[in-house]
């Protein structure tokens, strides 16, 4: 059994905005230090991934290690055309964010979190999920392995959609 398998997956709570801020920062800094938390909070297009969590239809999952420490998270956030996320496709399609703590990556946790959120999304009859991935981020191959495809010619090349 590896460290990834020893973690428990549970629902993300409404009082876990701080975890989402940490996760968003980890995602923005995937290639190395780029933003501090203060800087991320000052950019509305970044901060809206974690502030005012949750919106009426938003939901997510947390991976917790044996000590109860959060080591990963996946969450679905609804945006609007007036205030879109980087991977915005349509107001009816939430955007997925996923993050796994350094030292825990490559152990299958991200896969477990994403497939777990697919189940919840299907049980809510969501048509699809979108996301944004930057050029060069190896996370793209994970998303493609899990069925995400380019959103289409009208969208940025890093905007992917998973039909459910
Ligand atoms: C992307 C991320 C959530 C994946 O979670 P994970 O637990 O490492 O993923 P898994 O172990 O389930 O799967 C490994 C896959 O993730 C990809 N991956 C991306 N970044 C990785 C990293 N830093 N370490 C290991 N694998 C990584 C691998 O290429 C691999 O793809 P493959 O299985 O198609 O070969 C996690 O690595 C992470 O938080 N990375 C840093 C932040 C980031 O890039 N977030 C995504 C922003 S769009």
């Amino acid at each position: 059994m590896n460290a990834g398998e020893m973690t428990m997956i549970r629902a993300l709570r409404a009082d876990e905005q701080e975890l989402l801020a940490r996760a968003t920062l980890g995602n923005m800094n995937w290639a190395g230090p780029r933003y501090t938390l203060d800087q991320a909070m000052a950019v509305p297009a970044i901060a809206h991934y974690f502030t005012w969590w949750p919106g009426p239809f938003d939901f997510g999952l947390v991976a917790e290690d044996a000590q109860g420490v959060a080591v990963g998270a996946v969450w679905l956030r609804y945006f609007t055309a007036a205030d879109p996320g980087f991977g915005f496709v349509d107001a009816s399609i939430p955007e997925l964010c996923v993050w796994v703590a350094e030292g825990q990556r490559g152990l299958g946790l991200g896969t477990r979190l994403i497939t777990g959120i697919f189940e919840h999304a299907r049980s809510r009859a969501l048509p699809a999920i979108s996301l944004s991935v930057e050029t060069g981020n190896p996370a793209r191959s994970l998303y493609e392995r899990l069925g995400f495809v380019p959103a289409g010619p009208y969208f940025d090349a890093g905007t992917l959609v998973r039909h459910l």
Side-chain angles (χ1 to χ4, degrees):
M1 186 186 284
N2 66 36
E5 288 163 341
M6 285 190 286
T7 57
M8 186 191 83
I9 309 280
R10 63 162 174 81
L12 177 60
R13 297 189 304 260
D15 64 356
E16 291 186 292
Q17 183 170 307
E18 231 176 88
L19 169 62
L20 295 192
R22 190 153 57 91
T24 302
L25 199 61
N27 286 345
M28 296 309 299
N29 291 338
W30 66 270
R34 182 158 58 159
Y35 295 94
T36 63
L37 182 57
D38 285 347
Q39 287 167 339
M41 290 190 75
V43 179
I46 299 174
H48 68 177
Y49 281 95
F50 56 86
T51 50
W52 302 104
W53 172 264
F57 302 107
D58 299 339
F59 61 101
L61 300 172
V62 174
E64 249 180 28
D65 70 11
Q67 284 72 46
V69 176
V71 291
V74 62
W75 67 108
L76 295 183
R77 185 123 234 208
Y78 284 85
F79 291 106
T80 61
D83 178 28
F86 296 118
F88 180 78
V89 169
D90 188 88
S92 66
I93 298 178
E95 197 170 319
L96 177 145
C97 295
V98 59
W99 162 84
V100 169
E102 279 183 55
Q104 303 283 334
R105 295 174 185 163
L107 300 172
L109 254 188
T111 302
R112 280 178 63 198
L113 285 165
I114 297 170
T115 53
I117 208 87
F118 284 172
E119 291 312 308
H120 286 266
R122 282 195 193 97
S123 72
R124 293 172 185 220
L126 301 193
I129 290 169
S130 73
L131 62 77
S132 171
V133 61
E134 287 185 75
T135 304
N137 189 335
R140 185 176 182 118
S141 84
L142 165 66
Y143 300 142
E144 288 173 347
R145 179 161 57 75
L146 295 177
F148 282 89
V149 295
Y154 301 111
F155 299 95
D156 182 273
T159 300
L160 307 184
V161 170
R162 172 63 152 89
H163 299 281
L164 297 170

